[in-house]
Amino acid sequence: MQGSADLGKLVLRVVLGVLILFHGVSKLIHGPGYVIGVVTGAGLPSFVAYGAYVGEVVAPLLLLVGYWTRVGALIIVVNMLFAFGLVHLAQLATLADTGGWALELQGMYLGTALAIMLLGAGRYSLGGANGRWN
């Protein structure tokens, strides 16, 4: 039974890591201009925008390899809360044209990161199942 739980943790880590990493690679290719505009528009210092690189490049890589997994998941949670607060606040209580929540993808990212943060990396990870931050 433990083997399937560890396999489930691996699936969660890999899926979230890959999907969030796509956002980070896009920012690496196109630069942080949009994020800087959003952050400074909210009255925050521009250096805060570079946290998106940590949340969308470094943290997903931690999830993918399974090292400091809980920390990586926490970083993604914080990143998603920033995204909700700075970009998606107006959509928080709206439905999409298809009838689902307008922020279902972002909500799934947030929920999955929370689950990984609570569950840890599991046995199939670089840090092992019993690492303190894993």
Side-chain angles (χ1 to χ4, degrees), residues 19-37:
L19 293 176
I20 295 288
L21 189 57
F22 277 120
H23 289 272
V25 169
S26 176
K27 285 179 182 65
L28 287 172
I29 292 169
H30 302 295
Y34 172 75
V35 180
I36 290 173

Side-chain angles (χ1 to χ4, degrees), residues 2 4-14 116 119-122:
Q2 182 61 34
S4 67
D6 285 324
L7 190 58
K9 292 173 185 179
L10 175 65
V11 169
L12 281 174
R13 286 186 7 245
V14 169
I116 294 168
L119 292 170

Side-chain angles (χ1 to χ4, degrees), residues 19-88:
L19 293 176
I20 295 288
L21 189 57
F22 277 120
H23 289 272
V25 169
S26 176
K27 285 179 182 65
L28 287 172
I29 292 169
H30 302 295
Y34 172 75
V35 180
I36 290 173
V38 170
V39 166
T40 57
L44 297 169
S46 61
F47 74 85
V48 172
Y50 292 94
Y53 287 119
V54 177
E56 296 179 7
V57 176
V58 176
L61 291 174
L62 291 174
L63 294 186
L64 286 170
V65 299
Y67 188 73
W68 280 27
T69 304
R70 292 179 196 265
V71 174
L74 174 62
I75 292 168
I76 292 173
V77 166
V78 171
N79 192 62
M80 291 311 303
L81 292 174
F82 265 89
F84 271 88
L86 296 176
V87 179
H88 300 292

